[in-house]
Amino acid sequence: MSYTVAVLGASGAVGQEMVATLERRGFPAGELRLLASPRSAGRTLRFQGRLHTVTAVTPESFEGVDVALFSAGGGVSQEWAPIAAEKGAIVVDNTSAFRMADDVPLVIPEVNAHVLEQKLARGIIANPNCSTIQMIHALKPLHDAFTIKRIVVATYQSVSGKGTRAIDEMLDQSAAVLAGEDDFECEQFPHQIAFNVLPHIDSFTENGYTKEELKMVNETRKILEAPGIMVSATCVRVPVTRGHSEAVNVEFEKKVTPEKARELLAAFPGIVVVDDVANNHYPLPLYAENREPTFVGRIRQDISNPQGTSLDMWIVSDNLWKGAALNAVQIAEWLASKGKLGKSAAK
Ligand code: NAP
Ligand code: 3JN
């Protein structure tokens, strides 16, 4: 069995990783269509040893497509996902456009693949935000055992979360600063990002939180099917190329110990515990780059809670892989493994 796959946003930071992930994991893509805007039409990307040309998206692009991976921004998804679904493709959308829609499943395969068992009302499946994915991937086995009440998280998000131009801006600014220049561009971020830390990701809302922070609140509740979980997030941009890190304080209904948490985490699919502080071993974004797991370390009892019901921990993952492209491809793999892709599929 092989499938016709489309990637919309193929020239972008996430889209390029989607193509690489399809190849690396051996997804049975008989045909691959690389789609973007007219700006990058004609560019080529290598897939399975052959150069593939990017074309500008049109309705015909989705004719005969089994699965379409979208990462071209929310507005583009709003416009094109219904068209692709109408043509018979299942859309795995990496933007916030449909995440909170009641009739669109929001999926981390290791956590809640069961929601894909039901018929897809709109032919669209949403990938969560990268910061939500790595946090909930790591907290799921602890939630199952101890029941989460409240999460307080600070993120340290790499510039690649904002796309290819943001990576270039950080590198160009860094070179300029080191060369002693001070007249460089600040286009992708509201302030200089090189040698700086910005407590500002996405736009501010009326309650003082940013949209990125509220995505972590709302997506957590939807994925865990736990509307009562309290979440407060501070999302911060750091001058790291790739890999998001998170300092997480989590309070449970039941008593918890770091030893039991490590044991549960180590047994959970896709989680790697790196927690040997005696030897300075803890997760680092530099070493999470181009790796599939979510890494967890610095697991410790929260000394501010004498009840013994909370933990602190440090969670790191490659935001372009588990936080985006890998999660999307895993969803496509799950659909293929259950016979839910292709012409004869019961969707
Ligand atoms: P990027 O590097 O800036 O790439 C954007 C991609 O979208 C490019 O391929 C671009 O094509 C394409 N595009 C833009 N406007 C388009 C249009 N009108 N029609 C067709 N294609 C268009 O950005 P990125 O980092 O890959 O992120 C892309 C989107 O993915 C984000 O906006 C976000 O919604 C989502 N995302 C999600 C996560 C997550 O947390 N899961 C993480 C990062 C990104 P051209 O080259 O032709 O301009
Ligand atoms: O900044 C990051 O580290 C992650 C950014 C994700 C992002 C960027 C632009 C638009 C998103 C997202 O996935 O939530 C969106 C969006 O689709 O709203």
Side-chain angles (χ1 to χ4, degrees):
M1 191 74 184
S2 81
Y3 304 101
T4 299
V5 181
V7 175
L8 176 56
S11 53
V14 175
Q16 291 181 55
E17 293 301 336
M18 285 172 161
V19 173
T21 302
L22 288 165
E23 172 155 353
R24 186 178 75 254
R25 290 176 64 96
F27 187 85
E31 183 185 341
L32 179 68
R33 298 190 194 157
L34 304 182
L35 310 172
S37 83
R39 285 181 294 273
S40 54
R43 260 187 76 175
T44 54
L45 290 180
R46 193 168 286 281
F47 179 71
Q48 294 176 342
R50 255 188 342 108
L51 287 179
H52 287 61
T53 304
V54 176
T55 62
V57 62
T58 66
E60 292 67 44
S61 309
F62 299 105
E63 226 53 87
V65 167
D66 297 307
V67 62
L69 309 181
F70 276 35
S71 67
V76 178
S77 291
Q78 291 278 9
E79 180 182 355
W80 289 100
I83 295 171
E86 203 268 320
K87 300 259 179 207
I90 293 185
V91 175
V92 181
D93 183 38
N94 206 26
T95 79
S96 61
F98 301 100
R99 286 181 193 147
M100 297 313 297
D102 286 341
D103 51 2
V104 172
L106 181 64
V107 180
I108 306 169
E110 297 89 339
V111 172
N112 66 336
H114 66 273
V115 297
L116 294 174
E117 299 282 0
Q118 49 198 284
K119 199 171 178 319
L120 290 174
R122 293 165 75 177
I124 302 170
I125 299 164
N127 224 36
N129 176 268
C130 43
S131 297
T132 311
I133 291 179
Q134 66 181 67
M135 181 173 81
I136 297 309
H137 186 194
L139 292 184
K140 169 66 172 163
L142 307 181
H143 179 57
D144 289 345
F146 309 113
T147 313
I148 296 173
K149 269 172 78 175
R150 180 164 183 255
I151 300 165
V152 180
V153 52
T155 70
Y156 302 66
Q157 295 181 221
S158 64
V159 294
S160 57
K162 201 165 180 345
T164 49
R165 281 181 295 180
I167 301 172
D168 293 342
E169 183 160 304
M170 182 194 72
L171 296 175
D172 291 347
Q173 281 182 3
S174 303
V177 171
L178 290 173
E181 297 161 16
D182 58 8
D183 62 339
F184 40 76
E185 303 292 330
C186 289
E187 281 174 359
Q188 295 296 311
F189 300 103
H191 302 278
Q192 176 184 326
I193 183 65
F195 303 97
N196 207 358
V197 164
L198 310 179
H200 178 179
I201 298 181
D202 210 332
S203 47
F204 284 98
T205 71
E206 274 182 8
N207 66 6
Y209 284 85
T210 64
K211 284 188 181 167
E212 182 82 353
E213 291 161 353
L214 297 181
K215 286 172 195 171
M216 294 188 78
V217 178
N218 297 323
E219 294 175 19
T220 293
R221 292 173 172 163
K222 177 167 174 176
I223 297 163
L224 293 180
E225 299 171 44
I229 289 182
M230 294 173 290
V231 184
S232 178
T234 304
C235 290
V236 180
R237 187 75 67 194
V238 294
V240 166
T241 310
R242 191 148 153 187
H244 287 1
S245 307
E246 299 177 342
V248 178
N249 177 275
V250 53
E251 184 185 350
F252 301 95
E253 301 280 357
K254 300 178 194 145
K255 280 199 174 195
V256 59
T257 63
E259 295 71 30
K260 187 65 191 167
R262 278 186 207 103
E263 186 188 316
L264 292 168
L265 283 161
F268 198 72
I271 298 290
V272 171
V273 175
V274 184
D275 200 10
D276 176 13
V277 292
N279 290 300
N280 296 345
H281 288 163
Y282 28 72
L284 294 170
L286 198 57
Y287 305 135
E289 185 171 336
N290 288 324
R291 295 190 63 192
E292 294 195 346
T294 296
F295 299 91
V296 190
R298 298 292 321 278
I299 302 166
R300 58 209 191 276
Q301 199 85 45
D302 169 5
I303 55 171
S304 74
N305 175 356
Q307 261 110 50
T309 53
S310 50
L311 295 175
D312 281 293
M313 64 189 72
W314 178 247
I315 301 171
V316 178
S317 196
D318 184 326
N319 53 300
L320 296 182
W321 281 25
K322 186 56 190 164
L326 170 61
N327 199 72
V329 171
Q330 284 176 310
I331 291 171
E333 289 171 349
W334 189 96
L335 295 169
S337 74
K338 300 286 178 183
K340 285 175 175 281
L341 276 190
K343 282 182 194 62
S344 57
K347 294 172 187 168

